[in-house]
Amino acid sequence: METCARLLRALTGAEAATVTTLNAASLLLVAGALAAGREIIVAARDLVEISEGARISDILHAAGARVVNVGSANCVYLEDYERAVSGQTAMLLRIRVSNMASSGYVAHVSGSALAKLAQKHNLFYLDNLGGGS
């Protein structure tokens, strides 16, 4: 792990780096560092269980963040995120769900659109690619 952290520091120029082998742990660390005590906006359809008992909402709460879910189980639009942004918002979060599929009437917001919205409001944006990415 230390070799990976050293390489990551060299690659990015960062002063420090942390490497995990568990996606849930990475999400907990990032949410805790950037959004503890504040809000993280996430699509309702992204509030899934990512492994045995590890649910996105539980991880975010454990990090000290308040979860603001937007949209519905099958559809979320950029306007849903925009309406939810408040003075307490720290981050927009997108989860790439790999352990389930939706079909039929579905809509999701692209990562690039969420990144632009986050930039507009001076927020962090995290696109959780999932394990194995």
Side-chain angles (χ1 to χ4, degrees), residues 2-3 13 25 41-42 71 88 95 103 111 129:
E2 182 51 40
T3 300
I41 300 173
V42 60
Q88 289 298 308
I95 304 292
S103 62
L129 301 177

Side-chain angles (χ1 to χ4, degrees), residues 2 5 13 18 33 43 47 59-60 81 101 103 107 109 115 119 123-124 129:
E2 182 51 40
T18 301
L47 292 174
I59 294 166
L60 299 177
Y81 288 91
S103 62
V109 181
Q119 186 175 31
L123 303 171
F124 294 107
L129 301 177

Side-chain angles (χ1 to χ4, degrees), residues 7-71:
L7 292 171
L8 185 57
R9 287 191 305 271
L11 178 66
T12 64
E15 294 177 16
T18 301
V19 177
T20 68
T21 58
L22 183 62
N23 190 35
S26 299
L27 181 57
L28 178 70
L29 290 170
V30 171
L34 302 179
R38 299 188 62 205
E39 297 172 348
I40 296 177
I41 300 173
V42 60
R45 64 173 283 187
D46 290 350
L47 292 174
V48 297
E49 185 170 312
I50 57 175
S51 63
E52 300 166 14
R55 294 180 176 163
I56 296 296
S57 58
D58 293 341
I59 294 166
L60 299 177
H61 286 287
R66 290 186 305 278
V67 175
V68 176
N69 66 65
V70 295

